[in-house]
Amino acid sequence: MKAFTNANPRDLPHALTLIQQAHSSGQHASIAGGGSDLLGMIKERIVEPDVVVNLKAIKGLDQIFTYKHGPGLKIGGLATLDSITRHQVIRRQYAVLAEAADSVATPQIRNVGTLAGNVCQRPWCWYFRNGFPCYKAGGNQCFSITGENQFHAIFGGGPSFIVHPSDTAPALVALDAKFHIAGPKGERTATLSEFFVLPRQNAARENSLAPDEVLVAVAIPSAHPGTRSAYHKVMDREAWTHAVVSAAIVLDMDKDVCRSARIVLGGVAPIPWRVPDAERVLTGQRITPELAAKAGEIAVAEAKPLAKNAYKVPLTKAVVRRTVLQLAQRA
Ligand SMILES: Cc1cc2nc3c(=O)[nH]c(=O)nc-3n(C[C@H](O)[C@H](O)[C@H](O)COP(=O)(O)OP(=O)(O)OC[C@H]3O[C@@H](n4cnc5c(N)ncnc54)[C@H](O)[C@@H]3O)c2cc1C
Ligand code: SF4
């Protein structure tokens, strides 16, 4: 492990100054939330910062605010996954997010892991994490195409075929969240399509954050009465691991008729993967087992599996069908 300096800024402007000072003196600065992922990557020399800017001491960045109007919910980037899981309003009105946060890793990681760190975590592709010089490491090839691709993308792949590793990201997309970002030029807000980037847009990165920008908060619009949501995650072992396939689904229901739907898949694409055609088939309809099955079929219509991950296609179909039906039948 390369030696680095640990910096503990007192507030956000101080953090941004420290990051900028490092960059302007030719040093590499990394941002740490809980540090649970970053420190592992530093130990494995996947990243080699000169300075780690630790946001943990900044007061207020871990707060969760609820509002009656406008953004129903604003969650500070430093809020821990555990605090999101236990928050009563999130559990009641934004269940998909509470369930997604609760499905992450272990209780120990959820205690220290932050929402921003979870959304910004780097890919867990075996090749990248083991130091192969692939696109994600600044190289110009992908080893998974002809190698081990059991856990890779069936949608949106190329030239990298990673799957986005975060459980909370599909839930945030399903809830139509906006990302609040601070940088040297002030604050900006990014919609989901501006925040997450496909490898064909930038093969080395998963989001549009510049190296000197900090994800400070996530804002979620208030939920309509009648909104039901759920996160369903399939893993290759019983617990404490990333999704092989997941679905974050939000249905706005008028009794048993679906007014609108948002269906976002995890574990299957380099970004949280929305399936608008499957959403449209539910809109304005009474949800029956047949309709839920049709939504599952449509959700995978564009899938392009690799040599070893075709099993994800029927799995995705089943996860969508089952989650839609369970939500529709929920009183
Ligand atoms: C055994 C194991 C199992 C896991 N299982 C799952 C799982 O099932 N589901 C899942 O979603 N994740 C899983 N993870 C990943 C885990 O959730 C993340 O490591 C954790 O959520 C990261 O949070 P953190 O605050 O500690 O991030 P950090 O380690 O602090 O940061 C992670 C990344 O985000 C960047 N970052 C952090 N905060 C900010 C910010 N505010 N602005 C900009 N960039 C920032 C860092 O620079 C770094 O690149 C697992 C990890 C392990 C080790
Ligand atoms: S899928 Fe992405 S991270 Fe994995 S080897 Fe290919 S380029 Fe690297």
Side-chain angles (χ1 to χ4, degrees):
M1 181 170 86
K2 192 183 116 183
F4 61 86
T5 310
N6 198 32
N8 293 301
R10 57 187 172 274
D11 54 28
L12 193 55
H14 188 203
L16 296 171
T17 304
L18 289 170
I19 295 168
Q20 225 184 351
Q21 277 171 353
H23 290 164
S24 53
S25 60
Q27 292 191 315
H28 174 62
S30 285
I31 299 166
S36 65
D37 188 14
L38 182 68
L39 293 179
M41 292 207 304
I42 293 174
K43 275 191 203 137
E44 299 296 328
R45 303 190 80 116
I46 299 165
V47 281
E48 298 192 307
D50 302 292
V51 185
V52 171
V53 178
N54 190 340
L55 305 179
K56 267 287 181 193
I58 300 181
K59 285 204 176 69
L61 274 190
D62 60 350
Q63 297 297 298
I64 301 176
F65 298 101
T66 53
Y67 305 92
K68 286 223 166 74
H69 306 289
L73 190 64
K74 194 164 179 188
I75 307 176
L78 267 281
T80 63
L81 298 167
D82 182 59
S83 69
I84 291 170
T85 301
R86 287 186 291 102
H87 195 281
Q88 287 308 314
V89 175
I90 300 180
R91 289 172 72 90
R92 266 199 320 275
Q93 296 180 24
Y94 308 91
V96 63
L97 181 59
E99 289 170 17
D102 198 27
S103 79
V104 171
T106 60
Q108 289 85 342
I109 291 177
R110 293 197 292 276
N111 268 327
V112 292
T114 63
L115 183 63
N118 187 256
V119 169
C120 298
Q121 63 178 291
R122 299 306 316 276
W124 288 78
C125 169
W126 188 88
Y127 294 103
F128 173 61
R129 292 278 168 165
N130 282 283
F132 282 70
C134 69
Y135 289 109
K136 290 291 177 191
N140 60 2
Q141 59 183 313
C142 173
F143 297 90
S144 78
I145 299 177
T146 52
E148 298 306 318
N149 52 41
Q150 288 88 335
F151 298 114
H152 288 70
I154 58 171
F155 299 101
S160 163
F161 289 82
I162 61 135
V163 291
H164 199 279
S166 163
D167 279 305
T168 58
L172 293 171
V173 176
L175 291 167
D176 198 17
K178 286 199 171 53
F179 293 82
H180 290 253
I181 295 159
K185 293 185 195 136
E187 278 211 23
R188 69 180 175 101
T189 305
T191 59
L192 300 156
S193 53
E194 291 161 345
F195 187 78
F196 294 107
V197 296
L198 280 166
R200 73 175 82 104
Q201 295 166 270
N202 183 348
R205 301 290 309 167
E206 300 78 52
N207 58 56
S208 62
L209 281 180
D212 53 5
E213 287 186 318
V214 174
L215 176 57
V216 287
V218 171
I220 299 174
S222 41
H224 285 181
T227 299
R228 306 171 194 176
S229 68
Y231 186 70
H232 193 131
K233 172 173 173 180
V234 179
M235 294 172 279
D236 69 332
R237 51 179 195 262
E238 276 202 3
W240 301 351
T241 185
H242 292 89
V244 171
V245 168
S246 71
I249 302 189
V250 179
L251 300 182
D252 180 8
M253 300 291 291
D254 180 6
K255 300 199 182 77
D256 59 349
V257 173
C258 174
R259 278 191 287 240
S260 66
R262 285 176 76 97
I263 304 179
V264 185
L265 305 175
V268 292
I271 59 173
W273 195 254
R274 208 171 154 198
V275 280
D277 289 344
E279 295 169 359
R280 267 191 291 277
V281 82
L282 301 177
T283 305
Q285 304 295 321
R286 199 170 67 81
I287 294 179
T288 59
E290 293 73 26
L291 191 68
K294 192 167 170 192
E297 290 284 345
I298 294 172
V300 297
E302 307 282 323
K304 290 190 178 63
L306 299 163
K308 298 180 181 170
N309 68 4
Y311 73 95
K312 285 194 178 190
V313 175
L315 204 52
T316 306
K317 207 189 297 187
V319 169
V320 170
R321 176 182 57 76
R322 202 182 316 159
T323 314
V324 165
L325 203 55
Q326 278 171 0
L327 275 177
Q329 289 168 350
R330 199 180 279 178

